[in-house]
Amino acid sequence: MKTYTRLIICFTVTALISLGLVLASPAADSPAAAVHGLDLAAIDRSIKPGVDFFAYANGNWLKTAQIPADRSSYGSDAMLIELTNKRTAALIREADVRSASQSAETRQIGDYYASFMDETGIEARGLTPLAPALQRIAAIADRAALSRELGGSVLADVDVLNNTNLYTDNLFGLWFAADLSDPTRYIPFVLQGGLDMPDRDYYLDGSTRMAAIRGEYKAHIERVLTLAHLANAHAKAGRIFDLEHRIATVHWSREDSEDVLKGNNRWTRRDFEVRAPGIDWPIFFKAARLEAQSEFTVWQPSAVTGIAALVASESLDTWRDYLAFHAIEHAATYLPKAFVVENFAFHGKVLAGTQALRERWKRGVDATSAALGEAVGKLYVQRYFSPAEKTRAEALVASLVAAFGQRIDNLDWMAPQTKVKAKEKLATLKVGVGYPDKWRDYSGLKVIRGDALGNFERSQQFEYQRNLAKLGKPVDRSEWVMNPQLVNAVNLPALNSLNFPAAILQPPYFDPARPAVMDYGATGATIGHEISHSFDDQGALFDAGGRLHNWWTKEDLAHFKASAARLVAQYNTYRPFPDLAVNGKQTLSENIADVAGLSVAYDAYRASLHGKDASAAQGFSADQQFFLSFAQSWQQKIREPALRQRIVTDGHAPAAYRADTVRNLDAWYPAFDVKPGEALYLARQDRVHIW
Ligand SMILES: [Zn+2]
């Protein structure tokens, strides 16, 4: 909900953890690097801008672009991600060449990658690396042992407010972050989990499409168990599916899970025993190394209650089968080829519509970057993010912050006392540009050459331990949640800070070789988007110190909600499929941020002219360049199943509709001579101006 998310949907659970890194073939040219300025060839001049601005800006490209077989979508983001990942891949492969001058950290990178690439070794070992886990699960003889296994397998694998990853295949997910009621300290957040498919809708939705996916899923479970030589695979698959179905029925919906006011529930250790019987909680927490922690934030209380009850009511046999299946699925990327192929057949083909499995080296780069993110990021920044570009990006951020401040001053609906608090929050906003002030220390992570699965498991434990160690320490506002080599940006509400990774600050979004107005339309809008999250319906809930505490007056909020309701209605009309529309409520925060970000970027660009006229370029006026640069930054083609998955699970509207944000800005109308009666035309009173 808080990220900018130009991300691509990935095909496996572990790939999701790798934050969407997707690579092109090593031989492909990089269009992203070749084009400076607007992509003129992409524009379809047969389409009126006021009828379909996304198609006007990108139509010719859409006609000819092919989504590569190993991807679920493709576009400007994917091209930039490809370029970045090719560079990252080269850095990682260089790290695999041992040299005397190599740092210990570079050697870790090289060894992690080389272990993943050792297919022969992985085939030869078969399921042996997973045997200890499978034996442990098979030996579970009572509820106490089951509770120990469940507690011992939790990871720091979810994130409610920053990266907004609400999914875990473990029964519960943990997030270690600033306490929303007391942001001076860290607290563990407990989230619902336990489903192998992406969301409860996949289990509960009555449509024939989802029913068909459920059929494919049961067959997938059976094939995985068969590959692992587990007896009675068919019957077990049915029971595992039924258990997941029961878990899904107690899950909160995505919409409810994104509601911060519903999620900030304080539970003591005792509350778990009273309110969620079924799990032996003292054993669970000891296994999770949380026995000393007295307070937790339980994000979806009734789901925790429901899941704990299932731990007691379902047979131990079913739980053992379920845990064995989940252990195999979780490790699939690191197992022999038959498991990788089966994992892709369901998670890639069925769930995302991707046609071909990506080459192994690309997956190896993803896996390495996921395990040693900032170590790889350090190498990336040294080579590809110059101090000059960091300075230029910081200046752009400063101009956006100033423009946002101006907007706050000029608002006619916000009470003066709220404006004071808004300005205070803007003044304390910590904006990270390019990379973190201090790098993460990976020296405690043991990477053993030749032990691919062990490296993966140790990297997850390392991350868990790093998060456990936060408890009891002061909250670090300088921490980053994105790697520098990631094409994305994020707002961290409880830290009142933003991260703009180096990789999003490059062409075609940010380019010293083109008119600055185009940078305002693309990266300026991204920066404005992230800043505005600090002041939207969610941002209103967090004060300058990151405390969950509404600092708006009732009237401010009422006005804001009325405008927001109009934006919900605007997006509810977007219907990419006859049976599926964009959910205006689910995507509201992001849509508000898109409108605000674009508006503020426009102001900042106008202010940068200091009263002078901006020059025309490539046959377009400066205002036209601004809006076209924005719409082309959303250039994207996406496969049907992936688009469906995104509409169901994502807090962002699909790219095409994000490009159409322009219809809410008055300046867009004269720039493209948009007339009443055209599909995107909004009468002045229907344009939503929140900021
Ligand atoms: Zn956002």
Side-chain angles (χ1 to χ4, degrees):
M1 127 184 87
K2 291 297 168 188
T3 62
Y4 203 59
T5 304
R6 296 179 188 276
L7 291 188
I8 305 305
I9 293 169
C10 304
F11 66 85
T12 64
V13 171
T14 37
L16 275 170
I17 294 164
S18 80
L19 296 172
L21 288 175
V22 186
L23 292 149
S25 90
D29 285 319
S30 159
V35 177
H36 296 285
L38 299 171
D39 182 357
L40 294 179
I43 298 172
D44 183 347
R45 293 173 200 259
S46 73
I47 294 173
K48 281 191 166 175
V51 171
D52 186 341
F53 195 61
F54 175 75
Y56 168 72
N58 301 298
N60 277 348
W61 179 84
L62 288 166
K63 279 178 211 156
T64 53
Q66 298 284 331
I67 303 173
D70 64 351
R71 316 192 49 130
S72 60
S73 66
Y74 197 64
S76 62
D77 59 344
M79 292 181 230
L80 184 54
I81 289 168
E82 273 172 12
L83 172 68
T84 305
N85 289 342
K86 261 197 272 180
R87 290 170 166 177
T88 306
L91 291 166
I92 289 174
R93 291 163 123 184
E94 278 172 39
D96 184 27
V97 181
R98 294 210 172 184
S99 74
S101 60
Q102 199 172 37
S103 73
E105 199 169 83
T106 308
R107 179 161 292 194
Q108 284 174 302
I109 293 169
D111 285 348
Y112 198 99
Y113 177 74
S115 307
F116 186 91
M117 292 307 291
D118 177 22
E119 275 187 278
T120 317
I122 289 171
E123 284 304 318
R125 285 186 291 277
L127 270 186
T128 309
L130 200 58
L134 294 177
Q135 280 158 12
R136 207 176 56 231
I137 290 164
I140 293 172
D142 53 28
R143 305 284 158 186
L146 177 57
S147 301
R148 189 174 302 113
E149 178 63 28
L150 295 173
S153 58
V154 293
L155 295 168
D157 57 357
V158 288
D159 174 339
V160 184
L161 294 174
N162 299 331
N163 276 323
T164 327
N165 172 22
L166 300 172
Y167 174 85
T168 172
D169 52 341
N170 279 330
L171 211 44
F172 301 108
L174 284 176
W175 183 47
F176 296 80
D179 183 348
L180 302 184
S181 302
D182 176 8
T184 62
R185 66 167 191 172
Y186 286 106
I187 195 166
F189 290 65
V190 179
L191 270 73
Q192 66 186 18
L195 304 179
D196 195 50
M197 290 199 283
D199 186 86
R200 57 174 267 160
D201 280 6
Y202 282 79
Y203 297 83
L204 307 178
D205 187 295
S207 69
T208 50
R209 171 94 183 115
M210 287 299 201
I213 289 177
R214 288 193 281 275
E216 303 252 27
Y217 178 49
K218 279 184 228 178
H220 165 66
I221 303 174
E222 184 175 341
R223 284 194 299 269
V224 169
L225 299 178
T226 305
L227 281 174
H229 306 297
L230 296 168
N232 306 321
H234 182 74
K236 281 179 181 166
R239 288 198 297 269
I240 291 167
F241 178 84
D242 289 345
L243 174 54
E244 287 195 12
H245 186 270
R246 285 188 192 111
I247 295 171
T249 51
V250 303
H251 261 219
W252 284 23
S253 68
R254 173 91 198 184
E255 204 173 297
D256 282 340
S257 296
E258 287 189 352
D259 188 335
V260 180
L261 295 177
K262 289 182 181 157
N264 188 33
N265 308 289
R266 178 63 39 81
W267 280 27
T268 63
R269 284 281 305 281
R270 173 86 187 129
D271 285 329
F272 284 88
E273 286 162 53
V274 175
R275 302 178 63 177
I279 289 176
D280 189 326
W281 290 106
I283 290 179
F284 178 96
F285 283 120
K286 186 160 194 302
R289 285 166 275 160
L290 281 164
E291 64 269 36
Q293 181 66 24
S294 56
E295 293 188 312
F296 296 79
T297 297
V298 175
W299 202 252
Q300 301 115 330
S302 63
V304 172
T305 301
I307 291 169
L310 287 169
V311 170
S313 65
E314 297 294 307
S315 77
L316 280 177
D317 274 337
T318 303
W319 277 113
R320 281 190 291 261
D321 295 338
Y322 164 93
L323 287 171
F325 169 65
H326 274 244
I328 299 165
E329 284 282 274
H330 192 80
T333 309
Y334 292 82
L335 294 177
K337 193 173 178 189
F339 291 90
V340 175
V341 168
E342 176 54 38
N343 190 272
F344 173 74
F346 181 70
H347 292 277
K349 271 197 180 142
V350 174
L351 288 183
T354 312
Q355 295 305 301
L357 179 61
R358 283 153 56 241
E359 290 163 76
R360 188 164 190 94
W361 71 268
K362 298 178 187 175
R363 286 176 278 133
V365 166
D366 281 7
T368 309
S369 214
L372 290 147
E374 285 194 11
V376 175
K378 199 193 286 181
L379 299 178
Y380 177 84
V381 162
Q382 278 162 7
R383 195 167 302 175
Y384 295 110
F385 191 58
S386 71
E389 281 298 90
K390 183 166 161 72
T391 305
R392 209 168 69 84
E394 282 168 346
L396 184 61
V397 167
S399 79
L400 265 295
V401 169
F404 204 91
Q406 196 79 51
R407 284 221 162 220
I408 293 171
D409 288 339
N410 294 341
L411 288 178
D412 52 9
W413 55 269
M414 187 176 260
Q417 67 269 33
T418 316
K419 286 188 180 182
V420 170
K421 288 183 183 145
K423 296 295 285 283
E424 184 193 323
K425 189 169 178 183
L426 192 62
T428 46
L429 185 70
K430 182 170 173 59
V431 183
V433 171
Y435 49 90
D437 298 341
K438 53 179 187 290
W439 294 101
R440 218 165 266 180
D441 174 10
Y442 289 95
S443 57
L445 172 59
K446 196 168 178 189
V447 179
I448 299 171
R449 207 172 170 94
D451 185 14
L453 181 61
N455 290 337
F456 171 57
E457 289 169 347
R458 280 186 295 276
S459 77
Q460 292 192 315
Q461 283 307 315
F462 176 79
E463 180 62 9
Y464 186 61
Q465 192 56 46
R466 186 181 75 78
N467 277 281
L468 274 180
K470 291 178 185 174
L471 296 172
K473 298 219 180 81
V475 170
D476 177 8
R477 284 186 67 211
S478 70
E479 190 190 355
W480 275 51
V481 301
M482 280 183 171
N483 292 325
Q485 65 276 28
L486 186 72
V487 182
N488 210 332
V490 65
N491 181 307
L492 313 158
L495 301 180
N496 192 20
S497 72
L498 311 178
N499 296 168
F500 292 103
I504 202 172
L505 298 169
Q506 59 175 322
Y509 300 140
F510 189 65
D511 185 356
R514 66 176 183 177
V517 56
M518 298 181 194
D519 280 358
Y520 279 99
T523 293
T526 307
I527 295 168
H529 173 112
E530 294 307 332
I531 294 173
S532 85
H533 274 316
S534 297
F535 304 90
D536 62 14
D537 58 329
Q538 306 278 326
L541 304 173
F542 296 90
D543 66 16
R547 189 182 312 270
L548 185 60
H549 149 73
N550 196 327
W551 46 279
W552 291 23
T553 66
K554 260 195 196 130
E555 294 71 33
D556 294 331
L557 209 58
H559 175 96
F560 186 84
K561 285 197 168 146
S563 300
R566 289 162 56 217
L567 207 58
V568 170
Q570 189 180 111
Y571 280 77
N572 277 341
T573 64
Y574 296 145
R575 185 170 276 282
F577 304 107
D579 62 334
L580 189 63
V582 172
N583 182 336
K585 190 149 184 263
Q586 178 182 307
T587 56
L588 176 61
S589 285
E590 295 305 331
N591 300 334
I592 291 172
D594 281 347
V595 174
L598 190 64
S599 307
V600 175
Y602 183 81
D603 288 0
Y605 135 64
R606 297 300 304 180
S608 74
L609 300 174
H610 302 292
K612 294 197 199 96
D613 279 340
S615 321
Q618 295 182 279
F620 290 100
S621 73
D623 272 20
Q624 287 175 329
Q625 293 166 50
F626 175 85
F627 289 113
L628 273 171
S629 170
F630 175 74
Q632 290 196 334
S633 77
W634 293 112
Q635 190 176 82
Q636 187 193 62
K637 209 166 179 171
I638 182 164
R639 295 186 197 277
E640 190 226 316
L643 182 53
R644 283 179 178 274
Q645 181 178 140
R646 193 170 291 192
I647 289 170
V648 170
T649 62
D650 198 341
H652 304 80
Y657 305 115
R658 298 186 75 176
D660 291 342
T661 303
V662 294
R663 64 198 295 224
N664 292 295
L665 269 73
D666 294 338
W668 176 68
Y669 289 79
F672 290 95
D673 195 25
V674 178
K675 293 276 190 292
E678 293 175 353
L680 292 177
Y681 181 88
L682 291 170
R684 251 173 206 279
Q685 69 275 12
D686 294 330
R687 297 171 201 163
V688 181
H689 303 275
I690 295 178
W691 292 104

